[in-house]
Amino acid sequence: MRDDGMQADQDGTMMLGLHGTFAMFPWLSDRELDDDAFSLVQKRAAAYGFESSPAPRWNHHEAGGDWTPGGDVRERCWLQAGVPGDGGAHRLPVVPGVRVLTDVVNRVGIFGFTGLHAVVPMHLAHDIGFDLADAADWFALANPDAGTDLVVTVSADMSLDLPARASALAGAAAERGPARLGVRPAEPGRARPGLAGELTGEMFVPGDWNREQAFHCRAPEWTPDVAAWMAEIFLDALREVAPTEGMALVTVSALSGGA
């Protein structure tokens, strides 16, 4: 696991990372950029008002990315943010964070998205069932031929014994998605197709493989927005089935390796 020298925020620390292939735009590749991933993430979040007072969605801590060109899967853009814990029952800003990262990486190059990971403070997770249902209606408008087989992994404290709760987690996730989601537990192991070998912030969730449970499911399409929605589905299922005050890690990637 990578140790980036990060410290957990007293309210809550969230890490998000986008994985995939990348090629810098030719008009940018031959010069040094004035802005790096850190500043672009901050500027894009400010443009959406995510860090504005009086109720910021997060406090920007760190951001980075690997923009080495090539067809190999790397963690191309990531952020670390402090999530305020005094704002009531606010939704964890997974979707806004993924939108910012997607905007940044697509602004500087051609990005082939293959996977997403999110590390979130579960003590700040609240029931978002209605929001997930609205998202299901949104994604139901996708091309019926665009369905994608996915693998989702969920990691949390070993005391939760996620493998023993796999059926319950699958059922809870299926209830939060469309009927065609088809969630089923996968065989034990650490299969994370479409993800780099090291994930930013993973050290907040100890990495024993038996803390992790994988699931196979089918999404209406394959985009970072869909991956964020799928991540929220499983995080909300975890909140219900295996409540924890600790951190949780969820990954989402296409079994085909993405597009």
Side-chain angles (χ1 to χ4, degrees):
M1 292 182 188
R2 180 169 63 211
D3 184 351
D4 297 300
M6 302 181 203
Q7 299 295 320
D9 181 86
Q10 63 178 354
D11 291 328
T13 296
M14 178 186 74
M15 277 78 59
L16 301 172
L18 292 186
H19 302 249
T21 62
F22 183 78
M24 187 77 75
F25 288 135
W27 57 88
L28 299 177
S29 59
D30 60 352
R31 64 184 178 89
E32 184 175 350
L33 296 179
D34 294 331
D35 291 297
D36 58 9
F38 179 92
S39 62
L40 288 174
V41 166
Q42 187 173 41
K43 289 177 179 179
R44 198 60 182 154
Y48 283 120
F50 295 151
E51 298 182 60
S52 301
S53 297
R57 299 299 302 275
W58 68 65
N59 299 310
H60 186 62
H61 285 179
E62 296 289 345
D66 186 340
W67 294 346
T68 304
D72 54 330
V73 172
R74 302 185 181 215
E75 192 175 338
R76 300 298 182 172
C77 202
W78 60 268
L79 67 82
Q80 178 196 11
V83 181
D86 59 354
H90 289 309
R91 183 174 175 178
L92 288 168
V94 174
V95 171
V98 170
R99 171 47 46 199
V100 166
L101 293 178
T102 303
D103 284 357
V104 168
V105 76
N106 283 329
R107 189 61 180 168
V108 295
I110 299 170
F111 176 50
F113 175 59
T114 62
L116 162 73
H117 84 274
V119 180
V120 303
M122 292 302 295
H123 72 284
L124 296 181
H126 302 279
D127 186 345
I128 57 170
F130 286 111
D131 293 336
L132 293 174
D134 286 343
D137 292 339
W138 175 266
F139 292 118
L141 301 175
N143 182 343
D145 297 327
T148 304
D149 291 319
L150 304 179
V151 61
V152 178
T153 71
V154 181
S155 304
D157 189 275
M158 186 183 292
S159 65
L160 299 176
D161 195 1
L162 296 184
R165 300 174 187 247
S167 294
L169 282 167
E175 290 175 356
R176 288 158 169 76
R180 295 179 297 168
L181 199 59
V183 183
R184 66 186 190 280
E187 293 298 318
R190 291 182 61 83
R192 293 176 178 175
L195 298 177
E198 296 182 343
L199 312 179
T200 298
E202 190 176 17
M203 69 278 192
F204 286 138
V205 182
D208 252 333
W209 72 266
N210 60 0
R211 300 170 189 258
E212 178 180 275
Q213 177 61 47
F215 301 87
H216 289 163
C217 50
R218 188 164 182 80
E221 60 188 15
W222 180 238
T223 63
D225 284 341
V226 163
W229 171 54
M230 295 296 297
E232 287 196 310
I233 284 175
F234 278 87
L235 289 169
D236 198 54
L238 179 67
R239 176 198 57 79
E240 178 184 281
V241 172
T244 176
E245 293 292 300
M247 303 292 283
L249 163 67
V250 61
T251 75
V252 184
S253 54
L255 283 172
S256 63

